[in-house]
Amino acid sequence: MTSGAPPRPPLARRLDAPAAPLAVAAHVFPDGRARLAPSGELVHGCVDTLAKALAELPPGTCRIDLDMAGVTFMDSAGLGLLEALDAYGRCHLVPVTATGWTGQPRRVLELAGLDTADPLNPPPEDPAPAAPATPAPAPAPASAVAAERGERLLELQQEVEQLRRAIASRPVIDQARGILMAAHACTPQQAWDILRGASQHSNTKLRTVAAALTAGALPDGPPPPEEIRTALGAALARTIACGEGDDGE
């Protein structure tokens, strides 16, 4: 027997499927409102694309509304884009909305516990009902279909936890990239490659490498451990050498 419910969009696209570069179309109305329409995929680099679109808005823009209907895929970088939008609105004191979510991006918002109508402006939460004195036991799976759904739910919960960890790690990673860009005049992509290479060659988590580099940049901050310093130096040399080679082609 088949179900009449529409299939849920997949949370991940095929690894061999090419990413659709993010594009942002902008329209500014006479009353100062700006409408941005992103299209493509919210993946690594999407925050930079959005930042460029926001920087090109004219002075005096009083409101920014994003229509997300053209976004076809989103990973943890897309959730980082929401943070960037929220930070922009707070910094410039303008309201920002992001509506029109569909397909896989909407599913990711659901799993992350965000409002799918507008994650930047969720409705006020109702007071939580009082918990029962004795929680009712969960019913046992009644069939193989129920067991399969339980396994799928566990997979989704694990993926959400991975997305949340990625969001928590993003600020310190972005700070470390900024330090590398300022100290070595490298591009954002080169800074990312240096951090990733140091993480791989020192067998250390990327966030740990970024945190050690950020702490060492503070006045009287502790230097990174020897293995991280060595890995950073090697990754920096490789990345700069590759960049010079590309320029010479």
Side-chain angles (χ1 to χ4, degrees), residues 16-17 42 56 80 91 113 129 140 153 180 194 201 225 239:
D16 57 354
L42 298 184
E56 293 175 350
C91 178
L153 177 59
L180 290 171
I194 292 168
H201 288 82
T239 301

Side-chain angles (χ1 to χ4, degrees), residues 1 23 29 38 46 52 65 73 92 103 108 116 129 137 147 159 161 170 175 184 188 194 203 208 211 218 223 247:
M1 181 177 66
F29 296 92
C46 66
K52 180 179 179 181
D65 296 315
F73 178 81
H92 293 79
V108 171
T116 56
E159 183 167 350
E161 184 58 31
R170 179 164 293 275
Q175 291 175 18
H184 302 287
I194 292 168
N203 195 25
T208 302
L218 296 175
D247 292 339

Side-chain angles (χ1 to χ4, degrees), residues 145-196:
V145 173
E148 181 179 355
R149 289 177 178 174
E151 293 176 359
R152 180 57 179 156
L153 177 59
L154 179 59
E155 293 175 359
L156 295 177
Q157 290 172 339
Q158 292 173 345
E159 183 167 350
V160 169
E161 184 58 31
Q162 292 174 357
L163 291 173
R164 288 175 175 168
R165 286 198 296 267
I167 294 172
S169 301
R170 179 164 293 275
V172 70
I173 292 174
D174 287 342
Q175 291 175 18
R177 290 173 67 194
I179 291 171
L180 290 171
M181 291 163 60
H184 302 287
C186 59
T187 66
Q189 182 60 49
Q190 286 176 325
W192 171 259
D193 292 340
I194 292 168
L195 289 175
R196 184 175 57 182

Side-chain angles (χ1 to χ4, degrees), residues 101-143:
W101 299 88
T102 61
Q104 186 268 356
R106 180 183 178 94
R107 180 61 176 151
V108 171
L109 293 180
E110 292 175 349
L111 294 172
L114 300 175
D115 181 46
T116 56
D118 182 4
L120 297 177
N121 301 280
E125 295 184 0
D126 296 330
T134 303
S143 65

Side-chain angles (χ1 to χ4, degrees), residues 48-74:
D48 296 335
T49 303
L50 174 69
K52 180 179 179 181
L54 293 174
E56 293 175 350
L57 293 177
T61 301
C62 63
R63 179 185 179 90
I64 302 174
D65 296 315
L66 278 85
D67 181 1
M68 311 302 293
V71 176
T72 57
F73 178 81
M74 178 171 72

